[in-house]
């Protein structure tokens, strides 16, 4: 059997013990004689699976009781519409920090439903930093304030949250969810596509403060109303059953094998630190993001020479370090090192880069 080191931005690596357990349980889930893919979502046995996934998520992320957890479909991209449809209900205004493509997409979608304001942007330098924010420039009566916490394409992370006072902070945490502890109580709403740190594609997790539910615009489609899903415990229609099951396995691994988010953060800091240290001292490669805003999950880097970048990606692929090609808007390379990437994978990548540098500098 062959397993490569997969540096994909998503869908991405899953922890090997999770894949093994899913394989073991594939044909006969705990003596039921069925695969989780085959069972009714209304069955007692599936009820246990979805409830256990929610309990584990609440425990691992320390989610306060006055927040609902929703297991939805439609990807993080659907949330770009769902958030304004449900939250733009008083002043019909919302603030946005444009830190990349995903934040910009959220902003453009919200602008279809109300007044979307850009309070800051880092577009001037290809989104290579998180803009400094001045709370005096925030819209006082905004219905919410949107950030993309970790910018998957550009490799930046909000290490400090904007101080929005009573305006609910909404964050797209698709590419940093479960990578380190976060204080959920500081947010009105969090959302994430599962396909990076939570499980397979097809599941979108929303964590929403209860008082923000139940005020959707009249035009909101039933399936886009948070109330619909909150009232039926994510069972209004058929949920993404198998993806929720795998997400539960990932959370079990995080809790019982890794030891929780504090431990996960230590491992993630170690992995990112190794790669950043190498980049900071390399004569061939360099990172593209300002030091203080660097992501722990997505690390873009370049040589400054397109032909050399291409040569590196090809050589790396040949050595089973796959999906290192950078996003077309940044160029070069990007190593996405989510929770499931073992320390050894980053060590080996750095060794390979060192060797490549010696041969090509
Ligand atoms: C931060 C962020 N937000 C949103 C998305 C879009 O997610 P989806 O494909 O689940 O709609 C992505 C996808 O990579 C992402 O990285």
């Amino acid at each position: 059997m062959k397993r490569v080191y997969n540096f994909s931005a998503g869908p991405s690596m899953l922890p090997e013990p999770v894949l093994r357990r899913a394989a073991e349980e594939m044909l006969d889930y705990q003596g039921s004689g069925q695969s989780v893919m085959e069972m009714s979502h209304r069955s007692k046995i599936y009820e246990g699976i979805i409830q256990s996934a929610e309990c584990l998520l609440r425990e691992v992320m320390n989610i306060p009781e006055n927040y609902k957890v929703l297991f939805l479909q439609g990807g993080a991209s659907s949330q770009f519409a769902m958030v304004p449809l449900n939250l733009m209900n008083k002043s019909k205004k919302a603030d946005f920090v444009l830190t990349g493509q995903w934040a910009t997409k959220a902003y453009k979608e919200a602008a279809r439903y109300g007044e979307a304001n850009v309070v800051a942007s880092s577009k001037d330098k290809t989104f290579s930093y998180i803009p400094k924010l001045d709370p005096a420039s925030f819209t006082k009566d905004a219905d919410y304030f949107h950030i993309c916490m970790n910018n998957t394409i550009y490799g930046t992370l909000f290490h400090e949250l904007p101080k929005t006072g009573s305006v609910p902070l909404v964050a797209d945490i698709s590419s940093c969810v479960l990578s380190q502890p976060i204080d959920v109580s500081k947010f009105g709403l969090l959302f994430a596509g599962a396909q990076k740190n939570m499980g397979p594609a097809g599941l979108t997790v929303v964590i929403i403060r209860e008082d923000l539910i139940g005020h959707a615009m009249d035009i909101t489609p039933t399936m886009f109303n948070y109330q619909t899903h909150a009232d039926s415990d994510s069972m209004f229609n058929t949920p993404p059953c198998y993806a929720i099951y795998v997400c539960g396995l990932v959370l079990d691994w995080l809790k019982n094998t890794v030891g929780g988010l504090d431990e996960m953060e230590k491992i993630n800091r170690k992995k990112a630190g190794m790669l950043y240290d190498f980049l900071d001292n390399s004569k061939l490669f360099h990172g593209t993001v300002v030091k203080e805003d660097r992501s722990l999950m997505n690390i873009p880097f370049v040589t400054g020479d397109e032909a050399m970048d291409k040569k590196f990606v090809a050589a790396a692929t040949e050595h089973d370090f796959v999906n290192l090609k950078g996003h077309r808007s940044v160029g070069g390379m990007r190593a996405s090192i989510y929770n499931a990437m073992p320390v050894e994978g980053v060590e080996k990548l750095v060794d390979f880069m060192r060797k490549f540098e010696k041969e090509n500098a």
Side-chain angles (χ1 to χ4, degrees), residues 2 7 45 55 64 73-74 107 164 190 194 207 241 258 307 311 344:
K2 173 176 162 176
F7 294 89
I45 191 154
C55 280
Q73 306 192 48
Y107 157 71
T164 62
L190 293 160
I207 302 166
C241 301
V258 176
K311 185 176 173 187
E344 168 204 279

Side-chain angles (χ1 to χ4, degrees), residues 54 57-58 61 63-72 79 82-87 89 168-171 184-185 187-192 205-216 224-227 229-231 234:
E54 179 175 341
L57 185 66
R58 286 186 172 279
M61 284 186 75
I63 300 174
E65 290 217 341
N66 62 326
Y67 285 73
K68 282 269 185 202
V69 170
L70 307 176
F71 293 119
L72 308 179
Q79 294 309 309
M82 222 163 151
V83 170
L85 281 166
N86 284 267
L87 266 55
N89 48 30
L169 182 59
V170 170
V184 174
S185 72
F187 299 85
L189 188 152
L190 293 160
F191 65 87
V205 174
V206 172
I207 302 166
I208 178 170
R209 215 175 60 209
E210 280 173 355
D211 61 288
L212 298 174
I213 301 173
H215 317 286
F224 267 38
N225 193 325
Y226 291 126
Q227 176 117 53
H229 302 284
D231 285 352
S234 305

Side-chain angles (χ1 to χ4, degrees), residues 35-151:
S35 164
V36 175
M37 275 189 230
E38 301 170 302
M39 56 182 62
S40 162
H41 62 293
R42 306 272 175 214
S43 61
K44 268 266 160 298
I45 191 154
Y46 190 74
E47 227 172 70
I49 291 173
I50 191 169
Q51 282 170 4
S52 143
E54 179 175 341
C55 280
L56 278 165
L57 185 66
R58 286 186 172 279
E59 186 181 342
V60 169
M61 284 186 75
N62 197 17
I63 300 174
E65 290 217 341
N66 62 326
Y67 285 73
K68 282 269 185 202
V69 170
L70 307 176
F71 293 119
L72 308 179
Q73 306 192 48
S77 300
S78 288
Q79 294 309 309
F80 300 161
M82 222 163 151
V83 170
L85 281 166
N86 284 267
L87 266 55
M88 266 183 164
N89 48 30
K90 293 187 195 89
S91 67
K92 299 204 177 292
K93 295 178 203 166
D95 281 351
F96 291 79
V97 185
L98 301 191
T99 49
Q101 231 178 65
W102 302 115
T104 306
K105 283 192 173 165
Y107 157 71
K108 286 189 176 156
E109 192 69 21
R112 303 180 64 212
Y113 302 107
E115 186 184 316
N117 300 310
V118 177
V119 295
S121 165
S122 50
K123 191 169 181 213
D124 60 335
K125 291 186 179 154
T126 327
F127 300 113
S128 58
Y129 67 103
I130 298 287
K132 295 274 169 283
L133 299 177
D134 174 12
S137 67
F138 298 176
T139 307
K140 299 281 165 300
D141 62 343
D143 288 330
Y144 67 96
F145 189 109
H146 178 110
I147 59 167
C148 179
M149 196 151 164
N150 185 77
N151 295 279

Side-chain angles (χ1 to χ4, degrees), residues 74-77 80 102 148 150 152 172 174-175 193 195-196:
S77 300
F80 300 161
W102 302 115
C148 179
N150 185 77
T152 325
D172 176 353
S174 295
S175 50
Q195 64 272 22
K196 300 161 201 303

